[in-house]
Amino acid sequence: MTDAVSRGVLDTSTVILLGRLADASALPDEPVITAVTLAELSVGPLVASDDQERAGRQAHLQQAEADFDPLPFDAAAARSFGQVAASLRRAGRKPAARAYDAMIAATAVANGLPVHTCNPGDFDGIDGLTVVSVPYPDH
């Protein structure tokens, strides 16, 4: 693997699917997550429709908290967010509709890292962001 992908940001979808991935070759050698992913994961148990779903979502949150020291959404990420939002608008997409993804992308851009995702379309149209597609696990 090249130095460019030795470290990379896993988006929320990829963190949730980590245990089900059949092919981990698209993952970085040193995966990191953002504080935004922890924020997004923390919503899950609170909006779950039943106890089983709530328990599963809580398990994902707790595993992510145990496994990762998240990159913060700091001043550099906030500045990058402006560029990300402008890119999305130029591409005809509404940044508010994908706020979590835009903030994850901004954190990745600010840290000079690619985003590894099972949902690459979520990051379409963002200038300056390298997106690595992670094969979605078979159901």
Side-chain angles (χ1 to χ4, degrees):
M1 209 170 252
T2 66
D3 287 341
V5 293
S6 63
R7 188 169 189 238
V9 172
L10 305 182
D11 80 324
T12 308
S13 70
T14 307
V15 171
I16 291 170
L17 295 169
L18 270 178
R20 295 180 34 214
L21 295 179
D23 179 9
S25 65
L27 296 177
D29 292 334
E30 184 186 342
V32 296
I33 66 170
T34 71
V36 176
T37 288
L38 281 184
E40 190 171 7
L41 289 172
S42 74
V43 174
L46 301 173
V47 299
S49 58
D50 60 50
D51 289 342
Q52 184 177 358
E53 182 182 3
R54 185 174 297 104
R57 290 178 176 196
Q58 186 67 33
H60 278 120
L61 171 61
Q62 289 174 322
Q63 192 67 56
E65 289 173 333
D67 289 348
F68 298 99
D69 183 19
L71 296 173
F73 189 82
D74 57 11
R79 284 190 297 277
S80 291
F81 183 81
Q83 297 168 338
V84 167
S87 293
L88 289 170
R89 286 188 184 149
R90 282 192 297 275
R93 300 182 72 201
K94 295 183 179 182
R98 306 283 337 163
Y100 291 126
D101 293 333
M103 292 174 76
I104 290 167
T107 305
V109 169
N111 286 277
L113 298 172
V115 169
H116 295 253
T117 180
C118 293
N119 297 320
D122 290 349
F123 298 93
D124 283 349
I126 299 175
D127 296 336
L129 177 68
T130 300
V131 177
V132 178
S133 181
V134 176
Y136 199 91
D138 292 331
H139 294 287

